[in-house]
Amino acid sequence: MAAGLPQYRHITVPATPRVTRPLLAAVAAAPVLPSLQSGLDTVTVAVRHGLETVDILRLRRACGTVLQSDGGTAIAFLVPAGVAGQWHLPGTSCTPGARLLPATDPRWVMPPSGPTALARPTDPWVLRSALCEAACTLTAGGLGPF
C-alpha cells in the first residue's frame, strides 16, 4: 500500500477564450442574480449523514462548498453541472442547479472562500466514496440506517 495522501482526479475546466473589452462591458452591464450560479448541481443528504461526510472530506482535503437546508434537516454539497443525470446513490438526491447564499449567511457549513467568494464544487466521485464511508461509520455506531 502506498504511503501519503490518496490521489484524486482533478476537475478539468475547459480553457476560456480570450475576451475583448466590448464583451466585458456588456457582461458588466448585465444583471447578476447572486442567488444562482450556473455550472453547479446539488447533492442533498440527511443532516447527520452529511455532517459525517463533511468531516471525512475535510480530512481528505477534498471538501468543496457545503450548505445546510432552510429547515436544518439536510446538507447540500455543490458538485459540477451534469452530475444530476448520472447520480444514483440510495439515501441521496441530486438536482440540477444550485441556490447560493451570501458568503456571510450562517447556513454555510463550508462557505465559499477567496477574493471572489465563488463556490468550489466537490469532485462527485470523491463525494460518493465519502458518503458510502460515512454511511458505514454511522451504521457501525448504531446511528443508521437513516
Side-chain angles (χ1 to χ4, degrees), residues 108-122:
W108 286 111
V109 177
M110 295 294 290
S113 59
T116 57
L118 288 177
R120 185 174 67 92
T122 302

Side-chain angles (χ1 to χ4, degrees), residues 3-108:
L5 292 174
Q7 299 297 313
Y8 300 109
R9 63 186 180 93
H10 295 282
I11 299 171
T12 57
V13 179
T16 55
R18 190 175 169 136
V19 179
T20 61
R21 293 217 184 267
L23 182 57
L24 286 176
V27 170
V32 177
L33 299 174
S35 62
L36 299 174
Q37 183 173 347
S38 63
L40 296 174
D41 288 348
T42 307
V43 174
T44 307
V45 297
V47 70
R48 184 180 294 269
H49 189 188
L51 292 176
E52 183 70 26
T53 303
V54 168
D55 287 343
I56 292 167
L57 288 171
R58 288 182 67 205
L59 288 172
R60 293 178 181 172
R61 297 180 184 203
C63 193
T65 309
V66 181
L67 92 110
Q68 189 173 2
S69 67
D70 291 332
T73 59
I75 299 292
F77 295 89
L78 301 182
V79 294
V83 173
Q86 304 169 8
W87 189 266
H88 302 288
L89 185 64
T92 68
S93 65
C94 187
T95 55
R99 191 188 97 199
L100 298 181
L101 305 170
T104 57
D105 194 288
R107 287 176 284 185
W108 286 111

